[in-house]
Amino acid sequence: MIQILTTGGTIDKVYFDANSEFSVGDPTVPEMLTESNIHDGYELRELLRKDSLEMTDEDRQVVFQAASESSFDRILITHGTDTMAETASVLSTLEGKTIVLFGAMQPARMRRTDALFNLGFAWSAVSLLPPGVYIAMNGEVFEAGSVRKNLEAKRFERV
Amino acid sequence: MIQILTTGGTIDKVYFDANSEFSVGDPTVPEMLTESNIHDGYELRELLRKDSLEMTDEDRQVVFQAASESSFDRILITHGTDTMAETASVLSTLEGKTIVLFGAMQPARMRRTDALFNLGFAWSAVSLLPPGVYIAMNGEVFEAGSVRKNLEAKRFERV
Amino acid sequence: MIQILTTGGTIDKVYFDANSEFSVGDPTVPEMLTESNIHDGYELRELLRKDSLEMTDEDRQVVFQAASESSFDRILITHGTDTMAETASVLSTLEGKTIVLFGAMQPARMRRTDALFNLGFAWSAVSLLPPGVYIAMNGEVFEAGSVRKNLEAKRFERV
Amino acid sequence: MIQILTTGGTIDKVYFDANSEFSVGDPTVPEMLTESNIHDGYELRELLRKDSLEMTDEDRQVVFQAASESSFDRILITHGTDTMAETASVLSTLEGKTIVLFGAMQPARMRRTDALFNLGFAWSAVSLLPPGVYIAMNGEVFEAGSVRKNLEAKRFERV
């Protein structure tokens, strides 16, 4: 059983015509899973709907608390990419659980998006990895504390 | 570095208007990877373009040979779902390599498909699992020799 | 108000994994209209779910009857492309109504399809054209009786 | 032969991860036409890449000039929806040509978008309508000077 926690980020963005801009909308993970033929085996809890640049220390405590009190040992967290590494660091003091953070460079609602691949990749990572806190992005697994987003290359990399 | 071998199956089907039916077309993995922000780290070799119900013992030897002679230790194989378990069994005598077979219930060229999730899931599985032969489908990893397709439930399951 | 009659054809095909082939499924027009921001102004009636190669004279009478008894003067008919021209001919004795037949070369459920463009094109044609029976395909309007499908070119053309 | 002029707007928006926002990107009409099985019969000219709220009087003169000097009598213009009605008014002094403006409420690059339907609808409208300046949106044709965008209802309506 996998606990899914959603916090917002690019993966969940929708386009609002009214103000001609993207905002964070309903979590896209449930529809992506249904489409991917995954109908059970998880429990989803929506925590936040934020661009990760707007996440505060309090927000990170909300995520920490939710991961900590979850009755499941395998936890997937959707998160904006800009401060995903920070949230991973905050979570890294949690012991005994396999926690995987992921997101997307293009919204799941776009025709071309990395969201579905990333979800599948993270799903496998959280199922197979030993306890710890990880970021699963661009087809690679990174351990919390040793990863950063390279804005220019649009990729995550080891530090 | 991941070796990708393609054999056909539902994942690569295209719709041909001329005869009003689906046939196996060009491998879809390269376009799916590009869309998923994965631009390198793999080498793809097209072996067959077959519905897996039409795969012969000779075809399976072609796959075995290609996996055996690959210079890479991590091998992903796209395959039709109907006889994926048989091919996995044939490959299971190969030692020292991590081999993951996967496919899709809906063609990658459909709007709604499990192909992208399955590709991401298999990508992570082949990166993280120890040597062995596995099937990665419907969000689960199965070991060769202990898995079958449940036609009615449209899922793979342990035997 | 537009009367929509559905008869099947490529536009409505779904992929059935069980037998590894495409079959005609639920009409796709309602979902396409919703996605296209068209929420009213039409009434849809499902008549048949057939490949157009399998349509019989009786089937064509069902279509004729439905078009004839509709209380609306503007009628859109989704139809397989192979015998669309034949059905148009049968309908051409109907007077006082604007009837437009259309379909698609690629199923509406594919990622890349002409179905949405064709629906929009036919929607405008049925709204603007004077009474008569027309085929609206590949961005052109053809009058019943002077059109055929060119199988090789995958297009409709004047005869 | 149809002259297509592009000015930007929601229809052509892309999502830029770097600044977490949508901006106007390459014109999407060519790819939409190819996907819709329309391979010739038009000439496209890119004029601007602007949100329509940012269009100036000078920009509208650029559009007027391009429509005026085109050697074709049927002209399609892609345009942001917010000031589409204004540009239509400016063009309405042009005589002897059928000019149709259209756009989309959701970017063409989204999975769910009205862009393909709207393109097909406008394509038919520009082919069938007599000389004049029109807006073709939400499945309806409006004449320049008697149309406005209803922001709340997300639709165009007659005034």
Side-chain angles (χ1 to χ4, degrees):
Chain A
M1 201 70 174
I2 294 173
Q3 172 83 64
I4 303 174
L5 305 174
T6 69
T7 70
T10 290
I11 194 170
D12 284 342
K13 289 207 171 166
V14 290
Y15 181 78
F16 285 114
D17 177 64
N19 43 8
S20 294
E21 67 181 19
F22 258 133
S23 309
V24 178
D26 288 332
T28 51
V29 163
E31 188 176 336
M32 286 195 282
L33 287 173
T34 300
E35 178 175 318
S36 301
N37 216 17
I38 309 287
H39 304 291
D40 45 40
Y42 68 94
E43 185 190 278
L44 184 140
R45 189 173 157 205
E46 183 182 342
L47 299 182
L48 302 163
R49 289 197 186 194
K50 288 212 169 180
D51 255 316
S52 75
L53 287 172
E54 293 164 11
M55 282 187 82
T56 63
D57 289 348
E58 288 71 39
D59 291 329
R60 293 200 166 85
Q61 282 310 310
V62 169
V63 179
F64 183 95
Q65 191 64 26
S68 174
E69 75 194 22
S70 168
S71 55
F72 304 115
D73 290 341
R74 301 192 178 276
I75 300 177
L76 270 186
I77 303 175
T78 58
H79 199 289
T81 55
D82 286 316
T83 68
M84 190 186 284
E86 279 186 55
T87 304
S89 288
V90 169
L91 293 168
S92 63
T93 59
L94 258 172
E95 292 189 358
K97 302 201 176 205
T98 302
I99 301 177
V100 173
L101 295 92
F102 78 102
M105 297 310 216
Q106 288 286 317
R109 292 175 172 93
M110 301 295 284
R111 287 186 89 179
R112 292 182 187 128
T113 171
D114 50 335
L116 280 157
F117 177 97
N118 291 355
L119 173 58
F121 185 87
W123 196 269
S124 177
V126 83
S127 304
L128 299 175
L129 287 166
V133 179
Y134 310 89
I135 282 179
M137 287 292 292
N138 42 268
E140 292 179 73
V141 172
F142 306 90
E143 289 190 59
S146 60
V147 53
R148 70 170 166 219
K149 183 181 178 188
N150 180 328
L151 268 169
E152 275 176 62
K154 297 176 189 172
R155 298 173 55 82
F156 281 78
E157 59 187 22
R158 281 184 182 75
V159 289
Chain B
M1 200 73 174
I2 294 174
Q3 172 82 64
I4 303 174
L5 305 175
T6 71
T7 70
T10 290
I11 195 169
D12 285 340
K13 288 206 174 167
V14 290
Y15 182 77
F16 285 115
D17 178 65
N19 43 7
S20 294
E21 68 181 20
F22 257 134
S23 308
V24 179
D26 289 332
T28 51
V29 163
E31 187 174 336
M32 286 196 282
L33 287 174
T34 299
E35 178 175 319
S36 300
N37 216 17
I38 309 287
H39 304 291
D40 44 41
Y42 69 93
E43 183 190 280
L44 186 141
R45 188 173 157 204
E46 184 183 342
L47 298 181
L48 302 163
R49 289 196 186 196
K50 289 212 170 182
D51 255 316
S52 75
L53 287 172
E54 293 164 10
M55 281 188 81
T56 63
D57 289 348
E58 287 72 41
D59 291 330
R60 293 200 165 84
Q61 283 310 311
V62 168
V63 179
F64 184 95
Q65 192 63 28
S68 174
E69 73 193 24
S70 168
S71 54
F72 304 115
D73 290 341
R74 302 192 178 275
I75 300 177
L76 270 186
I77 303 176
T78 59
H79 199 289
T81 55
D82 286 316
T83 68
M84 191 186 283
E86 279 186 54
T87 304
S89 287
V90 169
L91 292 169
S92 62
T93 58
L94 257 173
E95 293 188 356
K97 302 201 178 205
T98 301
I99 300 179
V100 174
L101 295 91
F102 77 102
M105 297 310 215
Q106 289 287 316
R109 292 176 173 93
M110 301 295 282
R111 284 185 91 179
R112 292 182 186 127
T113 172
D114 50 334
L116 280 157
F117 177 96
N118 292 355
L119 173 58
F121 185 87
W123 196 269
S124 176
V126 82
S127 304
L128 298 175
L129 287 167
V133 179
Y134 310 89
I135 283 180
M137 286 293 290
N138 43 268
E140 292 179 74
V141 172
F142 305 90
E143 289 191 58
S146 61
V147 54
R148 72 170 164 220
K149 183 180 177 187
N150 179 328
L151 268 169
E152 276 176 59
K154 297 177 189 170
R155 297 173 56 82
F156 283 78
E157 59 187 20
R158 280 183 185 76
V159 290
Chain C
M1 201 71 174
I2 294 173
Q3 173 82 64
I4 303 174
L5 305 175
T6 70
T7 71
T10 290
I11 195 170
D12 284 342
K13 289 208 171 165
V14 291
Y15 181 77
F16 284 114
D17 178 64
N19 42 8
S20 293
E21 66 182 21
F22 259 132
S23 310
V24 178
D26 289 332
T28 51
V29 163
E31 187 176 336
M32 285 195 284
L33 287 173
T34 300
E35 178 174 319
S36 302
N37 216 17
I38 309 287
H39 304 291
D40 44 41
Y42 68 94
E43 184 189 278
L44 183 141
R45 190 174 157 203
E46 183 183 341
L47 299 181
L48 303 163
R49 289 196 187 196
K50 288 212 169 183
D51 255 316
S52 75
L53 287 172
E54 293 164 11
M55 281 187 83
T56 64
D57 289 349
E58 289 72 40
D59 291 331
R60 293 200 165 84
Q61 282 311 310
V62 168
V63 179
F64 183 95
Q65 192 62 26
S68 174
E69 74 194 24
S70 168
S71 55
F72 303 115
D73 291 341
R74 301 191 178 277
I75 300 177
L76 270 186
I77 303 175
T78 58
H79 199 288
T81 54
D82 286 316
T83 69
M84 190 186 283
E86 279 186 54
T87 303
S89 288
V90 168
L91 292 169
S92 62
T93 59
L94 258 173
E95 292 189 357
K97 301 201 178 206
T98 302
I99 300 178
V100 173
L101 295 93
F102 77 102
M105 298 308 216
Q106 288 287 316
R109 291 176 173 93
M110 301 294 283
R111 286 185 88 179
R112 291 182 187 130
T113 171
D114 50 334
L116 280 158
F117 177 97
N118 292 355
L119 173 58
F121 186 87
W123 196 268
S124 176
V126 83
S127 304
L128 299 175
L129 287 167
V133 179
Y134 309 90
I135 282 180
M137 285 294 290
N138 43 268
E140 291 179 73
V141 172
F142 306 89
E143 289 191 58
S146 61
V147 54
R148 71 172 163 217
K149 183 182 177 187
N150 180 328
L151 268 169
E152 274 176 61
K154 297 177 189 171
R155 298 173 56 82
F156 282 78
E157 58 187 22
R158 281 183 184 75
V159 289
Chain D
M1 201 72 174
I2 294 174
Q3 172 82 64
I4 303 174
L5 305 175
T6 71
T7 71
T10 290
I11 196 170
D12 285 340
K13 288 205 174 167
V14 290
Y15 181 77
F16 284 114
D17 178 66
N19 42 7
S20 294
E21 67 182 20
F22 258 133
S23 308
V24 178
D26 289 331
T28 51
V29 163
E31 187 175 336
M32 286 196 282
L33 287 174
T34 300
E35 178 174 318
S36 301
N37 216 16
I38 310 287
H39 304 291
D40 44 42
Y42 68 93
E43 183 190 279
L44 185 141
R45 188 173 158 204
E46 184 183 341
L47 299 181
L48 303 163
R49 289 196 186 196
K50 288 212 170 181
D51 256 316
S52 75
L53 287 172
E54 293 164 11
M55 281 188 81
T56 63
D57 290 348
E58 287 73 40
D59 291 329
R60 293 200 165 84
Q61 283 311 311
V62 168
V63 179
F64 183 95
Q65 191 63 25
S68 174
E69 73 193 22
S70 168
S71 54
F72 303 115
D73 290 340
R74 302 192 178 276
I75 300 177
L76 270 186
I77 303 176
T78 58
H79 199 289
T81 55
D82 287 315
T83 68
M84 190 186 284
E86 279 186 55
T87 303
S89 288
V90 169
L91 292 169
S92 62
T93 58
L94 257 173
E95 293 188 356
K97 302 201 177 205
T98 301
I99 301 178
V100 173
L101 295 92
F102 78 102
M105 296 310 215
Q106 287 287 317
R109 292 176 173 93
M110 301 294 283
R111 284 186 90 178
R112 292 183 186 127
T113 172
D114 50 334
L116 280 157
F117 177 96
N118 291 355
L119 173 59
F121 185 87
W123 195 269
S124 177
V126 83
S127 303
L128 298 174
L129 287 167
V133 179
Y134 310 89
I135 282 180
M137 286 294 290
N138 43 267
E140 293 178 74
V141 172
F142 305 89
E143 289 190 59
S146 61
V147 54
R148 71 169 163 220
K149 183 181 177 187
N150 179 328
L151 267 169
E152 276 177 60
K154 296 177 190 170
R155 296 174 56 82
F156 282 78
E157 59 188 21
R158 280 184 184 74
V159 289

